[in-house]
Structures are given as structure tokens and as C-alpha cells.
Amino acid sequence: MSLLVTADALIDGSGAAPLRPGAVLLQGDRIVAVGAHVAPPPNAERLDLAGATILPGLIDCHVHLSDEGLPDASARDRDPPALRVLRMAEHARRTLAAGFTTVRDVGGRDHLEFGLRRAAAEQVIQTPRLVLAGKIVSMTTPGASSWPGMYRQADGPWDVVKAVREQVAAGADVIKVMATGAVLAPAHERPGVAQFTTDELRAAVDAAHALGRRVAAHAHGIDGIRRAVEAGVDTIEHGTHLHEAPAVARAMATRGIFLVPTLKALANIADAPAPGIPDEIVAKARERRTDRDLTFRLALAEGVAIAMGTDAATPFNRHGENAQELAIMVDLGMSALSAIAAATCIAGRAIGRDDVGLLAPGKLADIAIWDGDPLADIRLLQRPPRVVFLGGMRVV
Ligand SMILES: [Zn+2]
């Protein structure tokens, strides 16, 4: 069965100028044709959406479906696993309903997310496509006590190798490592300070790459970013202090290492809409606001590939509100077209899924369609999409 979808415009996700009008032809779970006008085969169904813009389903490269944007996540530490799983399913549902057809979860709890993915595969629930890291591989650190079940602490290269292999054995598609301390950790864990040694990071990268898995490195401070880049990770998460060493940004651009800036996470902590976040965490975020902006502008100027990620689940950073990140990217100087590319084609490449994030023949038919023109107002994407297809199946 073929389906021809037409609208006023189509943005393919590559960064190319939009087609006006636009059309995409779906067959089964794939896209078979894209153009301003597409001649449908006989008996094709049609969906004509006047006033709308067709986009690839959006991709968020950095979420934690296990958690939900509470000011203080520890309030939920003692909840039973069944309740946590049901909440996780609801977070995934909201994300899909917001037009995000793929998310990379870079730190779950107790591997519950692998069960979530199985439930989606068995059509018990609907979720976006899930690219999963399992537990975060980290040195022994105070942060692990803040997030029970989210960390696999490992010290020394061989323990790190074992930790990586455990995640892959559990079903991980990507390995998340901590290259520096975190903001959402006790006060004495410092985001500016490097954590894993270069040897430990190299061990993680070698073990992951040998098994065909990419590596995402959480890194705020420049020493940790530099070590992660030297070790050959695939994405730098946050990258807050990258602006302190433009040569490292240039190395990222040259080697094709992506930056996932997670601008929204810091904004929601530093300028929280409501009280409840522990004071020392707010202080850590406020200290880094300017760094975040300087780094984003440097990465743009140096041609670092920027992939969209929200860190959804940090305080007030709720699942389903992911598209707010694109508006912050545009406010910091990125074009709307580039912000959409960062959340589609570039995001797909960053997470090792080049079968999504682009409207082109042969790609999976993950498509989101909004009323209006998001190039005129990127905030349109924060409204519920009119139609969403996941692998050719209409889910909204
Ligand atoms: Zn995160």
C-alpha cells in the first residue's frame, strides 16, 4: 500500500532549502519518493494537508526516559520498579506525540529501558525508536549516589572494558561515559573537573568500537572534553567549557565528533521556573550559563557538527517539550533550517542511525507534520504536530 502525503512545504532535514509545495510517497515502512510534486502510483492513498509543513520525525540525542524533570529526582528513589516502568512508558508516549520519532537514552535505571524497548517491539506500547546506552559508565563518583541504578562505576581500564561489555550484553546501542563531573550531583562533584583518565577513556572507546557501538561522553570541563576527543569518542554531551580551547573545537570538526549542547538543561536549572532544586546545583548551573553560550557560538563558527539533545529529565526539562531546545539554538544564532537539520539528519548521524532523520528514498518513513511554517517561527514545533508517522505507521 502506497500513501502520498502533500503539504504547502517540505523540509528534508539535510539543511537544503524547503520545497514549496512538498510531497512524500510512502510504501510500507519506507519513503520511496520526495519532491515538490510526486506522481503517485495507481491506487495510492492520499493525505493532502493544506497549510502544513512536512519534516522528518525529530530526533533527540540526549534523554533519560526513566526520570521526569522533577526539581529533585531523589524524591522518587524508593518508588517500585513497576511504577517507574509505567512512568517511563508515559514519557516515551509524550515524546512521540510531540513529533520525536527517535530518542537516544543516555542513562536509564536498572536496565528497565531494555524492557520498554521490547514492549514497543511487541506492540504492547508505542514509543519513539529507542537508541539505548544502559547504565552510564563512570569512575567511582558522588554522582552515582544521586541516581541509584543509573551508573556502573568502574575504575582502571579493564574494569571499564568489563562495564562497557556488560552494557552491550544487556542490549546497549551506545556507551555513555563520564569524562567530567556533573551538575546534578552532590556539591563536591565538580563539573569542571576531569574524571576518567585518558587510558580509561581509550579503553571504553576501544571496547565499544570493537563491538560496533558508538561512545557518548558527558563532559563539561575542558580537560575532560580534551581527553574524550583524544580518546576518539563520537559525541560530546554538554561540552560546556569547550570555548576555553578553540583548538579542541577544531579537532572535533576535523574528526567528525559531534557536540550535543543540551542548552535547555542548564537554562531550566539556572533560571528555574519554580523552587525545589537544591541550592548547590543551581549555583553550579548559574556559574556555567555564559560558558554554554560562548561554546555554542564557537562550535557554530568552527563548523563543529551540532546535534540536538535536551537532557530531558533534568529539573523542569519535561518529556514532550523537547522542541524548546531548537528555539534556544535559534536564539543563540543558528538558523531555523540548521536547527531542524541538527534535530534530524545530523542527529541521525550522531547516533549512528543514518536510516532516519532525512526525507529521501530508502529511508525509514518517520515523518512529522506541523501546521504553519517552522522556518518563519521555530516555536511552532513546540505545538503538537498534526500528523506523525513512525516507520510508515500513523501514530498521531
Ligand atoms: Zn544526561
Side-chain angles (χ1 to χ4, degrees):
M1 178 60 75
S2 300
L3 173 67
L4 179 69
V5 184
T6 68
D8 285 12
L10 179 146
I11 298 169
D12 73 1
S14 70
L19 301 176
R20 298 183 195 273
V24 57
L25 181 64
L26 319 183
Q27 197 160 46
D29 67 345
R30 298 280 162 173
I31 295 168
V32 292
V34 176
H37 301 278
V38 172
N43 304 323
E45 289 186 14
R46 288 187 70 109
L47 182 61
D48 297 305
L49 300 167
T53 302
I54 304 171
L55 277 74
L58 302 179
I59 300 172
D60 191 329
C61 298
H62 191 131
V63 304
H64 302 275
L65 289 173
S66 60
D67 288 79
E68 62 175 294
L70 295 181
D72 186 353
S74 67
R76 292 274 164 89
D77 275 357
R78 296 217 185 101
D79 286 348
L83 179 55
R84 290 158 59 191
V85 170
L86 288 165
R87 285 201 196 108
M88 203 187 293
E90 170 61 11
H91 301 157
R93 187 198 64 75
R94 277 185 216 157
T95 306
L96 182 60
F100 284 78
T101 50
T102 301
V103 296
R104 185 178 63 165
D105 186 299
V106 285
R109 300 243 197 178
D110 294 316
H111 287 172
L112 296 174
E113 60 281 7
F114 296 115
L116 188 79
R117 183 166 62 186
R118 243 182 97 179
E122 293 178 7
Q123 295 172 354
V124 176
I125 55 167
Q126 275 182 344
T127 74
R129 293 180 198 284
L130 300 175
V131 174
L132 302 176
K135 294 188 184 185
I136 299 170
V137 179
S138 162
M139 69 170 208
T140 298
T141 185
S145 65
S146 300
W147 303 93
M150 194 180 276
Y151 282 56
R152 163 58 162 96
Q153 296 178 88
D155 297 287
W158 287 112
D159 198 14
V160 169
V161 167
K162 186 161 181 4
V164 167
R165 290 173 180 164
E166 284 170 8
Q167 305 320 305
V168 174
D173 311 291
V174 58
I175 296 300
K176 165 87 172 292
V177 295
M178 296 296 279
T180 72
V183 172
L184 292 174
H188 63 294
E189 178 169 324
R190 303 210 298 260
V193 171
Q195 291 201 340
F196 271 145
T197 65
T198 304
D199 283 350
E200 288 169 323
L201 287 169
R202 279 190 208 282
V205 170
D206 289 349
H209 286 178
L211 295 171
R213 267 62 173 188
R214 294 167 72 80
V215 178
H218 161 108
H220 289 291
I222 189 60
D223 293 336
I225 298 172
R226 186 185 287 109
R227 284 183 196 174
V229 167
E230 283 171 2
V233 304
D234 301 287
T235 62
I236 295 287
E237 310 299 310
H238 320 302
T240 315
H241 293 266
L242 179 62
H243 70 92
E244 292 169 12
V248 177
R250 285 192 283 277
M252 287 176 66
T254 307
R255 295 182 204 175
I257 298 173
F258 297 81
L259 176 67
V260 182
T262 68
L263 305 165
K264 181 175 187 301
L266 204 68
N268 287 338
I269 301 169
D271 302 308
I277 306 175
D279 291 345
E280 70 269 21
I281 288 172
V282 174
K284 284 201 259 184
R286 286 191 177 156
E287 279 166 24
R288 292 184 166 73
R289 247 186 315 213
T290 316
D291 297 296
R292 179 202 78 160
D293 297 358
L294 290 171
T295 286
F296 189 80
R297 295 196 176 104
L298 174 77
L300 267 183
E302 294 292 349
V304 176
I306 296 173
M308 201 286 282
T310 56
D311 212 353
T314 57
F316 306 108
N317 189 356
R318 297 182 192 92
H319 299 285
E321 297 178 357
N322 313 58
Q324 291 173 357
E325 181 79 9
L326 285 90
I328 304 177
M329 294 166 108
V330 169
D331 288 346
L332 287 177
M334 193 179 228
S335 72
L337 198 57
S338 297
I340 289 170
T344 54
C345 184
I346 295 172
R349 281 169 37 215
I351 65 173
R353 289 293 304 255
D354 57 10
D355 54 347
V356 295
L358 187 64
L359 299 181
K363 302 294 180 186
L364 284 167
D366 291 1
I367 296 170
I369 302 167
W370 276 268
D371 281 320
D373 179 4
L375 297 181
D377 180 7
I378 197 73
R379 285 171 174 80
L380 282 184
L381 300 178
Q382 296 172 27
R383 296 190 194 152
R386 184 161 160 189
V387 173
V388 178
F389 290 97
L390 179 67
M393 193 170 74
R394 188 160 173 183
V395 293
V396 170

